[in-house]
Amino acid sequence: GEIGTLNLSETTGSSYIVTPGVDITKDPIVTFNGNNVAAYVFLKVEATGWTVSGADTTYTYSIGTNQEMKWELNGWTELADGVYYKEVAANAGAQSWGVIKDNKITVSSEITKANISNYTKGLSFTAYAIQKDGFNGNVAAAWTQAQTAIN
């Protein structure tokens, strides 16, 4: 079978200015154009300086009381720490998924330049795809194999 093509793109750039009380627009999108086999599409989130809370997958970058930035993952299923996935049926055609809910990072009005300049922060996203058949519903095994095939 032929799995299809995978693309991770963003139109808002890779460098942002943090302004107190002004939300940051960030729009990474994963697009998978599947062919004739079912697939798992994985998203790996590397969020330096951010913490993630609960099943709602809200990422918070906190400096102190009320001094934080927040964003929420857009409907991906959590597999492991920082790894999320979607299941795609065979012959499903092109599908796209946003990474960040509403393409928005919320910035507290309490943040100051002096506070944030001393902290390491960063967001990196990597997308992977692998055929679903042969893993008998074991998403973790598929993720391990997807990483092995890339590295």
Side-chain angles (χ1 to χ4, degrees), residues 9-128:
S9 61
E10 185 171 2
T11 64
T12 57
S14 61
S15 181
Y16 303 88
I17 296 172
V18 176
T19 304
V22 178
D23 293 340
I24 298 170
T25 300
K26 185 165 178 63
D27 68 345
I29 297 171
V30 176
T31 302
F32 181 70
N33 192 3
N35 284 334
N36 61 354
V37 296
Y40 291 114
V41 175
F42 294 99
L43 175 70
K44 183 176 181 182
V45 177
E46 295 174 90
T48 305
W50 299 77
T51 57
V52 65
S53 59
D56 64 352
T57 57
T58 298
Y59 282 77
T60 304
Y61 185 87
S62 184
I63 297 165
T65 306
N66 297 323
Q67 297 180 19
E68 61 190 17
M69 295 184 288
K70 282 187 176 185
W71 63 276
E72 186 177 337
L73 203 61
N74 189 31
W76 290 77
T77 302
E78 185 175 20
L79 174 63
D81 187 30
V83 179
Y84 306 88
Y85 72 97
K86 300 275 188 184
E87 293 185 41
V88 182
N91 300 309
Q95 297 184 47
S96 293
W97 307 282
V99 172
I100 297 175
K101 186 177 180 180
D102 300 325
N103 298 326
K104 176 177 71 173
I105 297 175
T106 303
V107 180
S108 164
S109 61
E110 303 291 324
I111 284 182
T112 66
K113 182 178 178 180
N115 292 127
I116 204 161
S117 63
N118 296 325
Y119 289 84
T120 302
K121 55 222 162 277
L123 287 175
S124 177
F125 306 105
T126 308
Y128 303 77

Side-chain angles (χ1 to χ4, degrees), residues 131-148:
Q131 71 184 35
K132 185 176 174 184
D133 295 337
F135 292 103
N136 299 318
N138 187 337
V139 181
W143 167 241
T144 299
Q145 185 61 43
Q147 292 177 92
T148 302

